[in-house]
């Protein structure tokens, strides 16, 4: 069985076996095994370049060995490192050991490197496997520590992101609550204004009925202007004082027909012109023509001219709510 088959049978990687044999110039099993063990963590280089350099090294070694054989009486069979005591079969292996260990002192030795026995091969293989297991165990410890650190970083990032989300939710909830509070206050003020307008309409109808009754009975017509106009105006003024000048986006309207019947209600943009109210009425009933309908505000009493139909509800002071009288 050759050195290559022996090394492969010991479980070594084929590429590293080829590298070791070429790097040591096929000088034996022991140098090849030493080369594999010493270069365990290194990548396998280009084997073509190694072949050329190894061949040159072998030529140089053979010349040196021939010269030494001629100049010395004792036959040098190996090269020994004076610093660590390791012996090498050729100068190529000795040079490689010097580069790797930094040792500089070498000497020729007559000690012959004997081939490994089966027991020694098994021991070397067991030693190599033990080193590999130890190396893998150390790498597993490092990988586990890195995984724990990465998990800490990931959890911290998730925690920070969840905290940001919670803060955004809290801000949005606070903003929505404030908006609902404002809307509720505006609705209350608008309802108060409408209620005041309805009360004023009731009082006006009662005064009108009283005047008509006085005329039918031939009695003096009561003067309600001095006694009731101011009290009637007070509730509306009080209701509107809190909303006057506010920038309301929408206007709630109650439109009553002068001919009687159920009133119409709608909500329009405060920027809508008064003509939009006329068009709304025309769409609700056939008795109204948007071009000829007349609109008036009962309180405070005001008849809107056709020239004012192009003005917005905000400019006409109808926001946030108003009651209009329509005459077809």
């Amino acid at each position: 069985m050759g050195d290559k088959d022996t090394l492969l049978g010991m479980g070594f990687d084929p590429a590293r076996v080829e590298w070791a044999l070429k790097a040591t110039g096929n000088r034996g099993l022991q140098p090849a095994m030493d080369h594999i063990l010493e270069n365990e963590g290194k990548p396998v280089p280009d084997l073509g370049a190694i072949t050329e350099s190894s061949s040159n090294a072998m030529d140089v070694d053979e010349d040196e060995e021939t010269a030494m054989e001629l100049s010395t009486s004792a036959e040098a069979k190996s090269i020994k490192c004076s610093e660590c005591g390791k012996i090498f079969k050729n100068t190529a292996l000795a040079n490689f050991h010097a580069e790797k260990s930094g040792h500089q002192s070498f000497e020729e030795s007559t000690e012959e490197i004997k081939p490994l026995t089966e027991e020694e091969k098994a021991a070397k293989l067991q030693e190599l496997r033990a080193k590999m297991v130890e190396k893998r165990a150390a790498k597993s410890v490092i990988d586990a520590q890195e995984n724990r650190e990465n998990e800490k970083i990931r959890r911290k990032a998730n925690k920070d992101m969840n905290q940001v989300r919670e803060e955004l939710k809290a801000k949005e909830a606070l903003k929505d609550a404030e908006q609902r509070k404002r809307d509720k206050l505006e609705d209350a003020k608008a309802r108060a204004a409408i209620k005041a307008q309805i009360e004023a309409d009731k009082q006006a109808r009662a005064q009108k009925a009283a005047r008509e009754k006085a005329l039918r009975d031939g009695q003096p017509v009561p003067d309600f202007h001095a006694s009731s106009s101011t009290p009637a105006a007070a509730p509306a003024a009080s209701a509107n004082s809190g909303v006057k000048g506010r920038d309301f986006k929408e206007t709630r309207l109650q439109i009553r027909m002068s001919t009687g019947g159920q009133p119409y209600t709608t909500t329009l943009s405060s920027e809508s012109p008064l003509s939009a109210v006329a068009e709304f009425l025309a769409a609700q009933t056939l008795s109204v023509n948007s071009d000829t309908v007349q609109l008036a505000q009962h309180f405070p009493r005001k008849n809107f001219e056709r020239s004012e139909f192009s003005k917005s509800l905000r400019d006409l002071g109808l926001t946030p709510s108003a009651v209009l009288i329509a005459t077809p």
Side-chain angles (χ1 to χ4, degrees), residues 84-96:
C84 66
K86 284 187 177 182
I87 58 175
F88 305 96
K89 193 171 183 179
N90 54 49
T91 55
L93 294 177
N95 291 333
F96 179 80

Side-chain angles (χ1 to χ4, degrees), residues 248-269:
F248 292 97
K249 295 182 179 180
E250 294 182 343
T251 300
R252 299 180 182 87
L253 296 173
Q254 184 184 86
I255 308 167
R256 301 179 181 179
M257 302 299 297
S258 61
T259 56
Q262 186 72 20
Y264 300 99
T265 58
T266 185
T267 300
L268 299 175
S269 170

Side-chain angles (χ1 to χ4, degrees), residues 106-275:
F106 293 87
E107 61 183 355
E108 292 182 343
S109 174
T110 58
E111 183 178 357
E112 183 178 4
I113 300 177
K114 297 180 180 180
L116 296 176
T117 64
E118 294 297 329
E119 292 77 5
E120 290 174 337
K121 291 179 182 179
K124 283 283 185 180
L125 180 59
Q126 185 176 1
E127 180 184 357
L128 177 60
R129 288 175 177 172
K131 288 183 178 180
M132 294 177 63
V133 170
E134 182 180 357
K135 184 176 180 181
R136 288 171 182 170
K139 187 175 184 302
S140 298
V141 173
I142 296 175
D143 291 343
Q145 183 177 359
E146 290 179 353
N147 291 335
R148 286 194 296 269
E149 294 297 330
N150 293 336
E151 181 66 17
K152 289 180 181 179
I153 295 173
R154 186 186 65 80
R155 289 181 179 179
K156 186 177 184 302
N158 291 338
K159 182 178 179 181
D160 294 342
M161 184 61 67
N162 291 334
Q163 184 177 357
V164 171
R165 291 196 186 100
E166 292 298 330
E167 291 177 355
L168 289 176
K169 287 182 180 179
K171 289 181 180 179
E172 290 294 332
L174 181 60
K175 183 179 178 181
D176 292 342
E178 292 177 351
Q179 183 62 41
R180 287 194 297 269
K181 185 177 179 180
R182 287 194 297 268
D183 293 343
K184 186 176 180 180
L185 180 60
E186 292 173 2
D187 289 341
K189 291 178 179 179
R191 287 195 298 270
I194 294 174
K195 185 177 180 180
Q197 186 67 54
I198 293 173
E199 292 297 330
D201 293 344
K202 288 181 179 179
Q203 187 175 1
R205 287 195 296 270
Q207 292 174 2
K208 181 180 179 181
R211 284 194 297 268
E212 292 176 351
K213 186 176 184 301
L215 291 174
R216 288 196 302 269
D217 297 341
Q219 297 178 358
V221 177
D223 185 8
F224 296 101
H225 180 72
S227 59
S228 60
S229 59
T230 301
S238 176
N240 287 317
S241 61
V243 296
K244 184 177 181 181
R246 293 289 298 275
D247 185 16
F248 292 97
K249 295 182 179 180
E250 294 182 343
T251 300
R252 299 180 182 87
L253 296 173
Q254 184 184 86
I255 308 167
R256 301 179 181 179
M257 302 299 297
S258 61
T259 56
Q262 186 72 20
Y264 300 99
T265 58
T266 185
T267 300
L268 299 175
S269 170
S270 298
E271 299 298 333
S272 300
L274 187 60
S275 60

Side-chain angles (χ1 to χ4, degrees), residues 65 68-78 108-112:
E65 289 176 359
M68 290 297 298
E69 288 176 354
L70 294 175
S71 61
T72 60
S73 57
E75 182 180 2
K77 297 183 178 180
S78 61
E108 292 182 343
S109 174
T110 58
E111 183 178 357
E112 183 178 4

Side-chain angles (χ1 to χ4, degrees), residues 17 26 51 103 121 139-140 239 255 262 272 276 298 304 316:
V17 171
N26 292 305
T51 301
H103 297 170
K121 291 179 182 179
K139 187 175 184 302
S140 298
I255 308 167
Q262 186 72 20
S272 300
H298 188 72
F304 295 102
L316 295 174

